[in-house]
Amino acid sequence: MDKRETVEYALAAAKKAGADKAQALVTYSEKTELNVDAGRMSLLRTTGNVTLSVTAFRGGRKGAVTINKIDAASIDEAARNALALAATSEADDANDIAPAGAKREFDSGDSEPDLGAMYDRMAEFLAHAGAKHPIVKLEQCILDFTRNEKVFGNTNGAAFVDRLGAYEFTVMFTSKDGDKASSFNYSGGVFRKLDKPLAEWGALDELMRQSAEQTETDTVDGKFIGDLVITPHCMPEITEALKYVYLGNGTLIAGTSPWKDALGTRVASESFTLRSVPNSDRVHVADRFTADGFEAKDAAIIEKGVLKSFQLNLYGANKTGKPRAANSGDALVIDPGAEALASIIAGVERGILLCRFSGGQPSDNGDFSGVAKNSYLIEKGKIVRPISETMVAGNFTALLKNAIAVSKETVDFGHSSFPWIRFGGVTISGK
Amino acid sequence: MRYPELERHAKLFGEYTELRVQENRISRIQILAGNVTNNETLAQGGVSARAFKNGVWGFASQPGSDDLSIARAVKLATENVRFLAGREKRGEAKLPARPGSGVHDLSTARTRVGQKGYMEFAKAIDARIAEKYPKLRSRFVAFSCLDMEKTVYVSDGGSSHSMTPRTFVYVDMTAESGADTVELGDIFGGRGQFEDVFSDPADLYAGIDAIYEQLMKKAEGVYPEAGLRDVVLGSDLAGILAHEAIGHTVEADLVLGGSVAADYLGKPVASELVTLVDYAHTALGKPCPIPVHVDDEGTEARDAVLIEKGILKGYLHNKETAGHFGHEPTGNARAYQFSDEPLVRMRNTAIVPGTSRLEDLIAGVDDGYYLLRPSNGQADSTSEFMFGVTLGYEIKKGKLGRGLRDTTISGVAFDMLKTVTALSDDMTWSCGGMCGKKQMIPVGMGGPAIRCKITIGGR
């Protein structure tokens, strides 16, 4: 069976087993990965896999089976098992599959890794880091090339193929100067080509420079209400909180989201615009179709402070009666502002440049607290020094309404793009 | 199912080689506010080979475990290591060996109830919560079981077959508190397949009732006063402290990568009351949550004493780091999926119990907090840590007071452990720990209650 036939076979097997609706996804994946541990090349790893997910529906009941075999007998068994699982579920009218749409195929990136170039780029990075950042210790560097081919179909006739090849680079590092050590930090990105030095991916060079000066830190004095200037690297703390506390299936179905009735209303400062743009050239990897079988479209989540979209899938939308998201909620970009970062920092009377945040999971009401890592004290418009053992606490609902300024500079990670944002009214406490 | 005679493929080896056939089988059920939102099984199996030459590694994996897949994995791993060794041009390097062997299969001997039985169990728990606590704003019941089955053969003679299952149920409740909501959850279960871990949903009802009572106190609770405070950490927090704040800093690969523990071996890092061990498979005469008898490099697994009476005594090793430091391998090389290479991972990391009673620990605090349940935790190469805390109480003049809202605690572990003034004489293991470090892996974390000073976040 070819790849499309495998999906069609799985759908037919589900129907034969008794499904009144079904969807199937086959993912072919090949990864080539070069590892550096403790500053030295350590491992070359190649993995191959094929996974099949069959989701079967019968009388509003749903069951799903994922295996990594695609012979006919294994597919038949997976389809039967999915039906058996569905029989144990509860009937729920919200369970459904996407309607038929245009059959779409997407193809991007290379189909094979350039292993020689991977090795050379990694060697170049190691030499660069050693020369420019001598006290930075590279705990682990991973450069991989992954080629995925996803083939999707459902019994309504929705069908997608997405072929994507991309290089991903992640680095974890710390600095050590005698017996003084910095906190670890990390960065990287995902891009379709190896056309620029790895030190430029995810602003790594700047983070390694910061790391070297973070071997000397001090806590802040006492407790005060101040500003946070959140860096692009730290911005996922906000986007993840939005997804899990405010916008996603879980809290909207449970009815606990603070924004459950906020669609179309102002939830953030006018300067804040968050979009999910899976079709934009600004991102190199994104889901081109959703897990429930819709083509992914670009859409604003918050536009000029107004909530434009939840991040509900088809089930969540049916369950809550609220609109379905136009995409998987990935490929996130926050629109840049007009002000330079230096000017934004110059406007801070007292606060923190928050470069990494180690925090507890935010509460259902959006409360958060945690430790400012790899961060800096700002006083009277100037970055004063690196800090340690400093905690920040606040509430995301209030924080977003206190977005004071957004930088014109951004960092592109390949999977997302974020600016620096200054927020006011956060509790900051030292030892 | 055990892969028979894996060693017959040794004729394919061209270098030092580890061969592993593995399957992970997962069942998951989620019931959110009475709706079955997830009911699925996942199985991922295949073969991996890892080869070593001149100080570098080559790895390859393939789905399936037929002879062709095994031959291809070994061939690719060998090609990979030779590519990298050829580029790096380092001298010959050898790995230390302490080959282990054995069969350690924790499959249940009882009749399997399957996903239908799991669903009935989860639904019974959900129905009980809905019936007894109708005023809750929301509720969530999740069932999860993971069977990890591995057959390992290594060219230095190590070999093993293991089937290590874990099953748990997570219960979470959300209640209104004025215009706000508060949430609290807890986890039940542990080592073993469903049939060996659970029998009657009613066995969990006392624990579920306890979550509700704790949640009601939390709904009326207060935010703690921020700052350095006297606290008693419950065993779940002691366990995550042992894992995150100490365990990670003494993983030898992270020591080589810059962990502050590189400077502390043989030096005092904690109160003399503190002894901390990463147990291989048996602790204090009982089996551990995640028993490891032979690791994924084929090494016989032994307990690793990390801190003994306050002195840092050792690191966690795979073969390569043991060779680097001139230490004995500890058997800490573990991989999660068939397609993952073994990394230095913790197994069952715990602070050893002391001699005090929990009541006396609390009675000894004039103004502080009793902190019980973590949500998540992270730690740094400096041993600075942060844990979210979802359950706690004030301590006023030695007695428990009002409940606490969600907060975080933080500190530098190698400083904070020096403030420990007492440990309770009991110990519990958390049953659902998953550790992230390139790959996820199930781990055990445990300890007694400990009295110490810690920085707590507030509002």
Side-chain angles (χ1 to χ4, degrees):
Chain A
M1 285 186 281
D2 70 15
K3 293 164 181 171
R4 169 53 56 190
E5 287 170 346
T6 302
V7 169
E8 295 299 332
Y9 185 90
L11 294 174
K15 294 283 271 187
K16 186 178 170 188
D20 43 42
K21 297 173 185 175
Q23 65 179 38
L25 173 69
V26 177
T27 303
Y28 301 83
S29 176
E30 290 190 356
K31 182 190 290 282
T32 300
E33 180 187 274
L34 191 56
N35 289 247
V36 166
D37 286 285
R40 289 171 30 127
M41 300 270 195
S42 57
L43 168 68
L44 176 58
R45 172 173 174 253
T46 53
T47 64
N49 203 5
V50 55
T51 61
L52 165 69
S53 296
V54 181
T55 307
F57 302 76
R58 183 181 169 91
R61 300 164 189 263
K62 185 175 96 168
V65 170
T66 299
I67 57 175
N68 68 337
K69 299 172 183 173
I70 52 168
D71 60 279
S74 296
I75 295 173
D76 288 339
E77 185 182 359
R80 287 194 301 272
N81 288 342
L83 261 297
L85 292 188
T88 69
S89 290
E90 291 288 299
D92 190 336
D93 291 342
N95 282 322
D96 205 353
I97 59 174
K103 291 179 167 52
R104 295 294 308 271
E105 294 203 10
F106 306 94
D107 203 329
S108 50
D110 294 342
S111 55
E112 297 281 339
D114 184 339
L115 182 56
M118 287 174 68
Y119 181 90
D120 291 343
R121 279 293 188 206
M122 186 72 97
E124 174 191 61
F125 176 75
L126 296 181
H128 171 86
K132 192 168 180 185
H133 310 289
I135 68 166
V136 170
K137 293 179 77 91
L138 299 172
E139 189 175 303
Q140 187 168 61
C141 315
I142 302 172
L143 174 62
D144 74 52
F145 176 84
T146 302
R147 175 73 176 178
N148 279 328
E149 181 170 359
K150 296 179 180 177
V151 185
F152 176 89
N154 72 19
T155 51
N156 282 347
F160 297 97
V161 178
D162 183 17
R163 302 179 195 90
L164 171 65
Y167 294 92
E168 179 166 14
F169 185 51
T170 55
V171 185
M172 182 170 284
F173 52 91
T174 188
S175 291
K176 204 126 192 311
D177 188 8
D179 59 355
K180 294 172 186 164
S182 73
S183 292
F184 74 79
N185 207 346
Y186 57 90
S187 188
V190 189
F191 295 96
R192 291 181 194 158
K193 296 290 182 188
L194 285 171
D195 53 3
K196 59 182 178 182
L198 298 175
E200 296 177 17
W201 292 32
L204 263 166
D205 229 9
E206 170 61 9
L207 263 60
M208 288 192 288
R209 184 198 68 75
Q210 291 177 355
S211 175
E213 68 186 15
Q214 289 165 357
T215 55
E216 291 275 2
T217 62
D218 200 355
T219 186
V220 303
D221 293 332
K223 176 175 162 182
F224 63 96
I225 304 296
D227 289 355
L228 291 184
V229 178
I230 297 184
T231 66
H233 299 83
C234 196
M235 207 59 71
E237 296 292 338
I238 289 181
T239 58
E240 289 294 302
L242 288 177
K243 184 174 182 179
Y244 290 107
V245 177
Y246 296 86
L247 302 172
N249 269 17
T251 56
L252 285 165
I253 291 173
T256 57
S257 166
W259 288 354
K260 63 182 186 298
D261 301 315
L263 198 64
T265 69
R266 181 170 299 286
V267 295
S269 301
E270 194 172 356
S271 59
F272 188 84
T273 294
L274 171 67
R275 306 177 194 278
S276 173
V277 289
N279 301 300
S280 167
D281 290 340
R282 293 180 66 185
V283 293
H284 288 228
V285 294
D287 290 337
R288 306 305 294 272
F289 58 90
T290 66
D292 42 24
F294 293 88
E295 184 177 347
K297 307 284 190 186
D298 295 351
I301 297 170
I302 296 171
E303 190 166 37
K304 295 183 177 177
V306 175
L307 180 62
K308 293 289 187 181
S309 170
F310 293 117
Q311 291 177 292
L312 291 166
N313 64 12
L314 177 61
Y315 175 82
N318 289 345
K319 199 72 198 172
T320 60
K322 300 179 191 302
R324 185 183 64 80
N327 47 51
S328 299
D330 59 350
L332 294 173
V333 301
I334 293 176
D335 285 1
E339 195 172 353
L341 173 61
S343 166
I344 289 174
I345 289 172
V348 175
E349 179 61 24
R350 196 173 185 209
I352 286 176
L353 178 65
L354 189 70
C355 301
R356 186 164 73 84
F357 179 72
S358 179
Q361 290 167 359
S363 305
D364 272 1
N365 65 0
D367 281 352
F368 67 89
S369 65
V371 183
K373 311 287 287 191
N374 306 98
S375 297
Y376 292 83
L377 177 66
I378 305 171
E379 285 181 335
K380 299 186 189 311
K382 295 196 182 313
I383 293 174
V384 178
R385 57 178 163 78
I387 54 173
S388 58
E389 297 192 73
T390 301
M391 300 195 81
V392 296
N395 178 280
F396 282 114
T397 309
L399 188 82
L400 287 163
K401 289 180 174 169
N402 268 328
I404 297 166
V406 180
S407 75
K408 62 183 182 184
E409 300 93 336
T410 60
V411 175
D412 292 339
F413 298 98
H415 49 67
S416 58
S417 174
F418 298 128
W420 284 254
I421 304 181
R422 175 186 168 196
F423 296 95
V426 178
T427 303
I428 298 166
S429 53
K431 276 187 92 171
Chain B
M1 184 171 292
R2 184 180 179 186
Y3 187 96
E5 298 176 351
L6 191 59
E7 63 274 16
R8 70 188 169 86
H9 298 286
K11 61 181 183 293
L12 301 168
F13 298 171
E15 310 288 350
Y16 163 96
T17 300
E18 301 155 1
L19 188 60
R20 173 164 41 96
V21 173
Q22 179 176 346
E23 186 173 61
N24 286 10
R25 298 177 291 274
I26 295 171
S27 292
R28 287 194 198 118
I29 293 166
Q30 294 178 328
I31 306 176
L32 173 62
N35 305 290
V36 178
T37 55
N38 193 21
N39 183 12
E40 66 175 341
T41 63
L42 304 93
Q44 294 283 297
V47 58
S48 70
R50 189 169 71 149
F52 183 78
K53 180 182 174 68
N54 294 355
V56 294
W57 296 88
F59 179 94
S61 68
Q62 295 285 302
S65 54
D66 55 281
D67 284 2
L68 204 60
S69 299
I70 290 174
R72 183 164 165 73
V74 173
K75 179 174 180 286
L76 286 171
T78 307
E79 288 174 2
N80 284 345
V81 78
R82 288 176 179 170
F83 172 89
L84 203 51
R87 291 287 184 116
E88 288 294 289
K89 295 184 173 53
R90 294 180 206 158
E92 189 177 349
K94 286 207 183 275
L95 296 169
R98 192 179 65 239
S101 65
V103 175
H104 303 281
D105 186 345
L106 297 178
S107 301
T108 183
R110 295 182 166 92
T111 304
R112 303 305 312 272
V113 304
Q115 194 95 349
K116 184 168 183 287
Y118 312 155
M119 180 65 82
E120 286 170 357
F121 192 85
K123 282 181 180 174
I125 291 168
D126 183 65
R128 150 82 179 194
I129 299 169
E131 181 188 355
K132 188 161 184 187
Y133 304 115
K135 290 185 178 174
L136 284 175
R137 180 74 169 274
S138 188
R139 62 189 190 277
F140 179 63
V141 176
F143 169 88
S144 175
C145 64
L146 165 65
D147 292 349
M148 294 182 76
E149 183 155 24
K150 301 175 177 180
T151 307
V152 174
Y153 178 75
V154 182
S155 55
D156 66 9
S159 68
S160 84
H161 172 253
S162 62
M163 210 301 274
T164 310
R166 188 168 74 167
T167 307
F168 58 83
V169 169
Y170 176 72
V171 174
D172 189 273
M173 301 181 193
T174 304
E176 292 182 353
S177 171
D180 239 347
T181 57
V182 289
E183 180 185 4
L184 187 63
D186 202 0
I187 196 164
F188 306 90
R191 180 194 62 255
Q193 292 185 303
F194 175 85
E195 295 77 5
D196 291 339
V197 175
F198 296 116
S199 54
D200 185 341
D203 296 342
L204 274 58
Y205 291 169
I208 290 168
D209 292 344
I211 299 173
Y212 182 81
E213 288 163 18
Q214 292 158 347
L215 180 65
M216 291 301 103
K217 287 197 171 179
K218 185 174 175 178
E220 298 166 357
V222 294
Y223 290 102
E225 283 292 317
L228 187 65
R229 308 301 302 270
D230 291 319
V231 300
V232 175
L233 301 181
S235 59
D236 282 355
L237 275 158
I240 200 170
L241 179 78
H243 175 96
E244 293 286 352
I246 302 297
H248 278 303
T249 60
V250 296
E251 289 170 331
D253 55 339
L254 300 191
V255 174
L256 288 170
S259 161
V260 72
D263 302 323
Y264 292 162
L265 199 61
K267 296 180 180 172
V269 293
S271 151
E272 289 182 0
L273 298 171
V274 176
T275 293
L276 195 153
V277 180
D278 182 62
Y279 293 101
H281 47 77
T282 307
L284 310 178
K286 295 179 182 173
C288 291
I290 305 292
V292 176
H293 295 267
V294 180
D295 78 0
D296 294 337
E297 291 181 338
T299 298
E300 176 204 3
R302 291 181 182 170
D303 296 346
V305 177
L306 304 174
I307 297 173
E308 187 173 27
K309 295 181 179 176
I311 307 294
L312 185 64
K313 287 289 188 179
Y315 301 141
L316 302 173
H317 287 296
N318 59 16
K319 285 178 179 171
E320 188 176 15
T321 62
H324 175 91
F325 285 98
H327 297 172
E328 277 284 302
T330 50
N332 283 85
R334 303 175 63 205
Y336 180 51
Q337 293 271 14
F338 75 93
S339 53
D340 290 328
E341 77 278 22
L343 306 175
V344 177
R345 306 307 298 259
M346 282 170 264
R347 300 159 304 190
N348 306 278
T349 315
I351 295 173
V352 176
T355 56
S356 303
R357 295 186 314 149
L358 173 61
E359 307 88 274
D360 295 334
L361 264 61
I362 293 169
V365 175
D366 184 56
D367 183 9
Y369 299 103
Y370 178 35
L371 306 174
L372 283 148
R373 195 163 300 154
S375 57
N376 64 325
Q378 297 168 4
D380 211 316
S381 45
T382 59
S383 89
E384 186 177 14
F385 62 87
M386 179 292 309
F387 305 133
V389 178
T390 60
L391 178 65
Y393 299 93
E394 293 177 323
I395 305 175
K396 297 288 184 190
K397 299 190 185 309
K399 297 194 181 305
L400 295 185
R402 295 174 294 181
L404 298 181
R405 294 296 189 100
D406 289 345
T407 188
T408 52
I409 55 174
S410 65
V412 175
F414 288 140
D415 294 340
M416 168 262 167
L417 283 175
K418 290 174 183 163
T419 72
V420 172
T421 53
L423 297 90
S424 72
D425 57 5
D426 54 352
M427 170 181 172
T428 58
W429 292 99
S430 66
C431 57
M434 286 293 275
C435 173
K437 176 186 172 184
K438 192 181 182 192
Q439 316 151 14
M440 301 302 289
I441 200 101
V443 292
M445 297 180 271
I450 63 178
R451 189 172 64 208
C452 58
K453 286 185 184 293
I454 215 161
T455 303
I456 190 164
R459 292 290 300 274

